[in-house]
Amino acid sequence: MTQQIAVIGGDARYLELIRQLQALPEVTISLVGFDKLEKGFTGLNQTDFADLNQENLDAVILPITGTDSQGYVETVFSDQTVQLTNEWFDGLNDRTVVFTGISNDYLDNAADQANVELIPLLNRDDVAIYNSIPTAEGMIMMAIEHTDYTIHSSRVIVVGFGRVGNTVANKFAALGAKVSVCAESIMDLARITELGHTAIPFDQLHEHTRDGDLLINTVPAQVVTKEAIQHLPPHGIIFDLASKPGGTDFAYAKQRGIKSILAKSLPGIVAPKTAGKILADVIKQLLLKKEERI
């Protein structure tokens, strides 16, 4: 049975995602918000949002950003205005799976009320771990761009030892940086030490920032506080990889004259093809499992 998939909006990584989905057997793909694309996608069904027949859809793929708090979808390759209202969700059938990068209260409630499955891809361990690789490479690129010294022998403090923090710490250490990692759990602190990094408990971060050239935050909560920032050396730079608004007191960093950069969506910027393939691989696996259940 042919699966009907609608891709609504998306950035450069979605071009590779669409190419990958085309390889699936018995799939029809409708694109909404891609009407400004150059040649190469002309063989696909470009659809106006108003003409999309949502009751026949097996899957809907939303951008990494999902929707805003009113259901509006960002369409990078179109001037179309797309709003996913509660009524639109109600028009989906109960088999439909909605994929998004991240979710919010609006999306959660709309999907819940319509009784459709919502899968925030960036919450999944597999996607986050794969994505941590282009994120770390992008972070290295930015560090080189914004400094006038080598990464080798520089003092790098990574805040957070989750899926991104772990990869970032290891990649910088492989380039010869002196890496410290700030974490909360005793188990994480033990693992950080075992990997050869310097372990810093969260409540002691401010005691170590005076020894940092680069401070890289991966925690989506306000953890890089005034207390931590005020001890950074004048040449120190903060890179915040956490989702918007980040976990840094940017106002105080600016007041102190410390360069601070919210470096979001690095996989889509530095390696959109790889990032798109990561998303496509996971979506394909989930769609195949769904088909097997049916």
Side-chain angles (χ1 to χ4, degrees), residues 3-246:
Q3 290 198 79
Q4 304 282 338
I5 300 175
V7 182
I8 303 177
D11 55 18
R13 73 194 98 178
Y14 274 53
L15 305 185
E16 181 61 26
L17 182 152
I18 292 162
R19 289 190 187 96
Q20 295 283 329
L21 292 180
Q22 280 183 283
L24 283 172
E26 298 185 1
V27 163
T28 299
I29 302 172
S30 298
L31 302 184
V32 175
F34 290 88
D35 43 277
K36 284 188 175 180
L37 276 180
E38 298 292 330
K39 60 182 180 180
F41 282 83
T42 51
L44 288 173
N45 182 21
Q46 299 266 5
T47 307
D48 285 339
F49 179 63
D51 296 331
L52 197 62
N53 189 358
Q54 72 260 41
E55 65 183 21
N56 292 330
L57 295 175
D58 296 287
V60 175
I61 302 174
L62 302 181
I64 289 298
T65 50
T67 71
D68 67 11
S69 59
Q70 295 179 302
Y72 286 98
V73 173
E74 184 179 14
T75 53
V76 175
F77 299 107
S78 174
D79 293 327
Q80 279 192 63
T81 298
V82 176
Q83 183 184 24
L84 305 185
T85 62
N86 284 309
E87 291 74 22
W88 188 87
F89 271 93
D90 288 338
L92 297 170
N93 66 70
D94 57 9
R95 302 185 320 275
T96 308
V97 180
V98 179
F99 296 97
T100 181
I102 58 175
S103 190
N104 55 23
D105 289 342
Y106 180 90
L107 256 183
D108 289 342
N109 292 333
D112 186 52
Q113 288 176 26
N115 196 32
V116 297
E117 185 178 5
L118 178 69
I119 300 179
L121 292 165
L122 296 192
N123 287 359
R124 292 178 55 89
D125 283 334
D126 47 6
V127 174
I129 291 168
Y130 286 132
N131 260 339
S132 72
I133 299 167
T135 298
E137 290 188 9
M139 185 59 259
I140 290 165
M141 178 190 76
M142 292 192 72
I144 293 169
E145 284 180 355
H146 289 277
T147 59
D148 56 3
Y149 47 84
T150 61
I151 290 174
H152 187 278
S153 296
S154 64
R155 300 164 300 175
V156 177
I157 300 172
V158 178
V159 182
F161 194 61
R163 297 160 302 195
V164 173
N166 191 330
T167 303
V168 168
N170 291 333
K171 297 297 184 189
F172 272 87
L175 290 174
K178 297 172 183 175
V179 176
S180 302
V181 184
C182 180
E184 192 163 26
S185 82
I186 293 173
M187 185 174 69
D188 283 346
L189 293 169
R191 177 61 70 189
I192 290 161
T193 303
E194 183 268 331
L195 288 169
H197 312 316
T198 299
I200 303 173
F202 254 110
D203 59 0
Q204 295 176 26
L205 174 61
H206 63 283
E207 298 174 16
H208 294 262
T209 50
R210 69 179 75 251
D211 299 320
D213 299 309
L214 304 176
L215 192 155
I216 303 169
N217 177 54
T218 67
V219 179
Q222 188 96 152
V223 290
V224 183
T225 60
K226 174 180 177 179
E227 193 176 19
I229 296 168
Q230 66 186 356
H231 296 295
L232 275 171
H235 70 273
I237 304 176
I238 300 169
F239 294 98
D240 201 315
L241 301 179
S243 54
K244 197 174 180 180

